[in-house]
Amino acid sequence: DRIQKIHVKDPSSLNVTQSNTPQNLVGEKQLSKSVERVRKGRLVPHNMIGSYPTAFSASMSRDLSNLQHNQVLAFDIASINIGNAFDKTTGVFIPNMKGVYALFATITTRTGKSLEAQIVRNGGGLCNIFAGDSAFPSPGSNMVLVALDVGDHVIVRIHNTYHDSGATIDGAFSTFSGFLLHETD
């Protein structure tokens, strides 16, 4: 296969490549589709043309203790919040487009205590996270792929039963992140 570099007449002056193989009879159409996918200086998946991706990653500014059943964990430092769908004051992620999302959380407990937390959508648990060890600070993580609708509420919360009295979450080592994998109709 030969690759030909074609200059795209776009303000960002990007270069797009196109295969010149004999079986590529629709090369011009493929090129125009590629040009359509050029947005903000990068190639984007075909299903995101005209929309904006969603991604967030947040952590805690302080340790949390005296944990209560079903307590929502407020991750108040958002290192990235593309699409502004994550509210760092409440810890709630509300998708602004329908799609399949990857959601990931890590909870780290102080030595000697354990707890379970959950990633939750609209009140229903999506996955559980266990953290705890008797000798060392102990992280627990989990990830879930889930189809979300616009307006769903996604949080990380303490499990309604399974957490030791006196457990403390190490805020510096606890995170909540998510991103849109694929937009759906």
Side-chain angles (χ1 to χ4, degrees):
D1 289 320
R2 290 183 342 161
I3 303 288
Q4 177 183 4
K5 199 178 233 185
I6 300 172
H7 185 71
V8 178
K9 293 181 181 180
D10 184 76
S12 62
S13 299
L14 297 174
N15 290 322
V16 176
T17 58
Q18 171 190 357
S19 172
N20 271 347
T21 59
Q23 45 295 42
N24 188 2
L25 302 176
V26 292
E28 288 183 25
K29 288 183 183 177
Q30 287 177 347
L31 177 61
S32 66
K33 285 183 181 178
S34 294
V35 171
E36 288 175 21
R37 293 180 188 146
V38 174
R39 178 169 45 98
K40 292 188 178 181
R42 66 189 184 280
L43 290 174
V44 296
H46 73 308
N47 63 326
M48 292 181 131
I49 294 172
S51 63
Y52 298 95
T54 301
F56 71 94
S57 187
S59 60
M60 297 178 182
S61 62
R62 60 185 178 84
D63 294 351
L64 296 178
S65 55
N66 301 316
L67 303 170
Q68 303 299 312
H69 296 319
N70 296 315
Q71 179 179 339
V72 176
L73 302 179
F75 296 86
D76 59 342
I77 301 172
S79 58
I80 190 166
N81 193 6
I82 299 170
N84 293 316
F86 180 76
D87 183 343
K88 66 182 185 175
T89 60
T90 61
V92 178
F93 168 61
I94 303 174
N96 51 20
M97 65 180 57
K98 186 176 179 179
V100 177
Y101 288 81
L103 301 170
F104 185 85
T106 297
I107 305 298
T108 302
T109 60
R110 295 282 185 193
T111 304
K113 301 289 183 173
S114 64
L115 65 81
E116 278 191 30
Q118 300 175 302
I119 298 177
V120 176
R121 173 189 54 200
N122 300 332
L126 296 172
C127 67
N128 291 328
I129 303 160
F130 175 82
D133 191 329
S134 61
F136 302 99
S138 178
S141 298
N142 211 341
M143 177 183 171
V144 63
L145 301 179
V146 61
L148 297 175
D149 290 322
V150 173
D152 280 347
H153 284 63
V154 180
I155 58 170
V156 177
R157 73 177 179 197
I158 298 300
H159 193 278
N160 64 349
T161 306
Y162 305 112
H163 57 91
D164 288 344
S165 176
T168 298
I169 293 175
D170 189 334
F173 295 98
S174 299
T175 61
F176 180 31
S177 303
F179 57 91
L180 175 65
L181 283 174
H182 187 280
E183 189 176 355
T184 57
D185 296 332

